[in-house]
Structure formats: C-alpha cells, structure tokens
Amino acid sequence: MIRAATADDIPAIHAMIRELAAYEKAPEKARASEEQLAEALFGERPAAFAHVAVDDASGEPVGFALWFLNFSTWRGVHGIYLEDLYVRPAARGGGHGRALLTELARICVERGYGRLEWSVLDWNRPAIGFYEALGARPQDEWTVYRLTDGALAALGSAH
C-alpha cells in the first residue's frame, strides 16, 4: 500500500534516509534531523512531500519517496523532482518501488505536470536497470552542478 506520509512517519523516513546514505557510501553526509524533515514536510510552508510504502502485513513503512515540485520553462508546467526513493532490502522485489513511482506518475498525470525526474548514481546498476525497465531514460546531455558549503557561502555573500 502506498499513502501520503504523515508526521508520525518522520522517524521511519529519517531512519530510511540514513539507510539510503549508507547504501550510497556516504552515511556522514545524511545530516538532516527529524525536526528538519518535519518542518520541510509538514511545517507552515512545506518545501517537499513524501509518500510511504507500507507492508501489508505489519502496517510498517518499508519504503518512501520524497519529492518536490520543479518547473519547466520550456513546457510551461510543473513537474516532480524525486529527491529520494528507497525500499528497505528485506522488502525489495515486492513491488513497493514500482508502486511509489506509479503514484508519483499518477500525480503528474492528474495535475498536468510534464515530467517526473530524478538522479541516480552511475554505479547503481540495480536501480538503473529498474528505472529503464519502467521506460525511464538517462539524460546524458545534461551534467548536474552543485554549490554547497564554503562555495555556496562565498558566492551567496559576494557583493
């Protein structure tokens, strides 16, 4: 079962974010606190949204998708950017990842959004195979750039 996340899901989502960071070989980079997640998802001005995949037998969250809206200036419509998709190893192969992506695609179609997009690490062959089996295609002509930490602070404080 897929459902919109609630505030009660914050501890489980936080734990799965840390599991995902460990899988991606960067556990020290997952610094978000439960409080920050709660504010981002359920605060006065939510900046992101989340859905959880729930085990049918136990009712416990076994996966999540955390996403936010983007906008295409060329298409003139919103899209969804999927920041994280994660299913716990014991629950993999049960259709939870596909169900989470299906729900996000349904939201796109229902709301007239033009895209559902995300990034995947180039070494994550199981994920790449899964996404390509769904019909997703890599955007090889684009390279992601990022400013963080000192570089972001330096540029942001330049006059």
Side-chain angles (χ1 to χ4, degrees):
M1 179 179 82
I2 305 301
R3 62 172 171 74
T6 68
D8 291 340
D9 295 316
I10 293 293
I13 293 171
H14 185 258
M16 288 187 280
I17 288 170
R18 299 195 54 77
E19 292 170 24
L20 175 60
Y23 174 76
E24 292 183 350
K25 303 174 182 154
E28 71 286 352
K29 292 185 179 178
R31 300 183 303 209
S33 68
E34 288 186 21
E35 293 75 21
Q36 288 172 309
L37 286 174
E39 181 63 27
L41 294 171
F42 304 109
E44 187 175 315
R45 293 184 317 183
F49 308 92
H51 283 76
V52 292
V54 178
D55 181 76
D56 291 333
S58 70
E60 293 299 314
V62 295
F64 77 101
L66 195 142
W67 56 278
F68 55 89
L69 294 179
N70 58 17
F71 185 79
S72 170
T73 57
W74 289 14
R75 291 179 173 224
V77 295
H78 282 291
I80 286 178
Y81 187 84
L82 175 60
E83 180 66 23
D84 283 330
L85 175 71
Y86 180 74
V87 175
R88 288 187 157 142
R92 290 182 189 155
H96 301 293
R98 181 183 180 90
L100 284 162
L101 284 170
T102 298
E103 177 60 11
L104 297 186
R106 185 197 64 75
I107 291 169
C108 286
V109 170
E110 178 182 274
R111 298 180 187 178
Y113 297 165
R115 294 180 179 149
L116 171 56
E117 58 189 356
W118 60 92
S119 297
V120 61
L121 291 166
D122 59 6
W123 56 259
N124 193 345
R125 302 312 298 163
I128 291 167
F130 169 66
Y131 297 143
E132 289 182 352
L134 295 175
R137 295 294 172 252
Q139 302 299 299
D140 294 333
E141 68 274 16
W142 294 93
T143 299
V144 176
Y145 281 81
R146 179 177 294 160
L147 281 171
T148 61
D149 304 324
L152 178 62
L155 184 60
S157 61
H159 291 26

